[in-house]
Amino acid sequence: MKPDAVLREAESCFGIKGEEIRRRGQKYTDARYVASFSLRRHCLMSLRVIGERVGLHYSAVGNAIGQVRDRPTASQTSALRALEEKITNR
C-alpha cells in the first residue's frame, strides 16, 4: 500500500485534510497516532520516515504505535476499524 493512500484514508476517518495531520493539539493526536500505526503496519516504513510524514519525533512515533496497539482509545479503535476496512477493500 502506498503511504499517501494510507494518510488520505486516515485523514478522511478523522475529517481533516492535507497537512493538518502535522498540526499540534489534541484534535490531531488520534489522527497522527492511528496514521503512524497504519503506516508502520501496511507500508513497513521506518519510525523516522513516519515521523516526518505525521509531524512527530521518531521516538514519539514508537510510543504512538505502542499506545494504539496496546491500549487504544475509543476514537482510535473506531477510526482504526474504519481505516482497516477501507484499506482492505482497495
Side-chain angles (χ1 to χ4, degrees):
M1 180 117 213
K2 293 189 178 189
D4 289 336
V6 172
L7 283 173
R8 275 194 306 274
E9 295 298 342
E11 291 163 354
S12 172
C13 286
F14 286 96
I16 60 176
K17 298 178 184 175
E19 290 295 311
E20 285 184 313
I21 201 163
R22 297 178 57 81
R23 290 187 184 168
R24 301 286 181 219
Q26 188 63 36
K27 177 181 176 182
Y28 306 104
T29 299
D30 284 343
R32 283 195 308 269
Y33 281 24
V34 169
S36 296
F37 178 84
S38 296
L39 286 168
R40 183 70 170 189
R41 180 174 179 177
H42 295 287
C43 303
L44 304 175
M45 297 170 69
S46 72
L47 299 182
R48 187 173 307 279
V49 173
I50 293 170
E52 291 168 1
R53 299 297 289 269
V54 300
L56 292 171
H57 188 271
Y58 72 89
S59 63
V61 171
N63 292 336
I65 291 169
Q67 191 265 317
V68 171
R69 181 188 62 228
D70 299 335
R71 41 186 200 293
T73 64
S75 64
Q76 289 171 349
T77 300
S78 63
L80 195 55
R81 282 187 190 134
L83 181 60
E84 290 294 319
E85 185 176 314
K86 288 180 180 183
I87 288 172
T88 55
N89 288 333
R90 284 188 147 234

